[in-house]
Amino acid sequence: MRSRTTVELFQYWKDVRGNRDLPRRDEIQPGDIRSLLPNVFILQTEPAGGIYFRLAGTNICSLFGNELRHRQFSSLWRGDQQEDIGRIARQAIESCTPIVLAASGATAAGDWLDLEILMTPLASRDGKGDRVLGALSPLSGPMWLHMMPLQHLMLEQVQENSEVPEMLTRAGNTVIRLDTHRSPIRRAQHLPVFEGGRRN
């Protein structure tokens, strides 16, 4: 994890969860993460199988130049990655496992921005996983940031996390660089790896 927002939101999610598989969505208190809210989003599943933004912080909407509420999460991504992105988001919910994505965002002018995306699963009041509490954080601050909207995102890395950030390497978690020359989905140890990588 490279972003302070990612680290702090992940730790908050762990604190609220306690010894359970998932925290409930009604246990998340915006006041507890007030400083993170501009970069925080919530995704919700829909009966048809899609996953859409229930809300998105002001910084996230500014990055894309419009309001993201009710928009499909996968629609932010390059067309050939949208199906895999939907699968990754569903995996976070179904496996009760936080997932960190390394991504790049492209503007119409060809500028690039490195981002980190955290997805942590949430449960409804009946205990069924149906939402994602997440953060989308730029890893740099170029002069054009928030003036030139991103056209799409591109997936670079996928990492599953179950321990606090400082314990990741000791716990045996692995960051995997995606290989664009192999099949869209493969397995490395216990982690699913999805095709990605920047294409010029």
Side-chain angles (χ1 to χ4, degrees):
M1 296 183 187
R2 300 170 59 189
S3 165
R4 178 188 63 83
T5 298
T6 303
V7 172
E8 292 187 9
L9 187 63
F10 180 56
Q11 187 61 61
Y12 175 72
W13 177 86
K14 280 181 61 68
D15 290 344
V16 175
R17 179 188 64 169
N19 295 323
R20 298 166 296 166
D21 288 337
L22 294 175
R24 295 195 320 272
R25 64 195 189 207
D26 60 325
E27 295 177 308
I28 302 300
Q29 300 298 319
D32 294 340
I33 52 173
R34 185 177 295 106
S35 65
L36 309 180
L37 292 179
N39 293 313
V40 166
F41 61 84
I42 291 180
L43 305 178
Q44 183 170 1
T45 58
E46 56 186 10
I51 297 179
Y52 66 93
F53 282 97
R54 185 170 179 84
L55 63 84
T58 54
N59 286 352
I60 301 174
C61 293
S62 178
L63 281 176
F64 292 92
N66 55 60
E67 173 62 52
L68 298 180
R69 183 178 171 85
H70 302 309
R71 185 169 171 181
Q72 290 288 331
F73 179 59
S74 60
S75 71
L76 300 186
W77 300 79
R78 195 178 65 188
D80 63 327
Q81 294 186 337
Q82 290 182 5
E83 184 177 347
D84 285 344
I85 289 297
R87 190 176 302 123
I88 292 170
R90 287 191 296 274
Q91 176 189 326
I93 296 171
E94 293 170 2
S95 67
C96 305
T97 303
I99 293 178
V100 178
L101 307 179
S104 299
T107 69
D111 296 309
W112 291 91
L113 179 68
D114 290 330
L115 304 114
E116 186 168 76
I117 300 168
L118 171 68
M119 295 190 291
T120 60
L122 298 177
S124 59
R125 290 185 178 181
D126 63 6
K128 180 181 178 181
D130 65 350
R131 296 192 190 188
V132 167
L133 171 69
L136 189 153
S137 307
L139 297 178
S140 63
M143 293 181 61
W144 53 264
L145 189 65
H146 300 301
M147 293 186 292
M148 297 281 291
L150 299 180
Q151 298 296 302
H152 64 263
L153 300 177
M154 295 176 59
L155 182 63
E156 303 285 353
Q157 293 177 345
V158 181
Q159 177 179 321
E160 290 185 7
N161 292 309
S162 59
E163 301 298 329
V164 292
E166 60 269 23
M167 294 293 290
L168 288 178
T169 54
R170 278 186 285 171
N173 289 286
T174 306
V175 177
I176 300 173
R177 189 66 184 179
L178 299 176
D179 186 346
T180 61
H181 302 292
R182 301 193 180 186
S183 61
I185 303 174
R186 56 190 172 87
R187 299 213 48 106
Q189 297 177 2
H190 65 291
L191 299 178
V193 183
F194 297 82
E195 181 185 11
R198 185 176 303 172
R199 297 176 182 174
N200 295 324

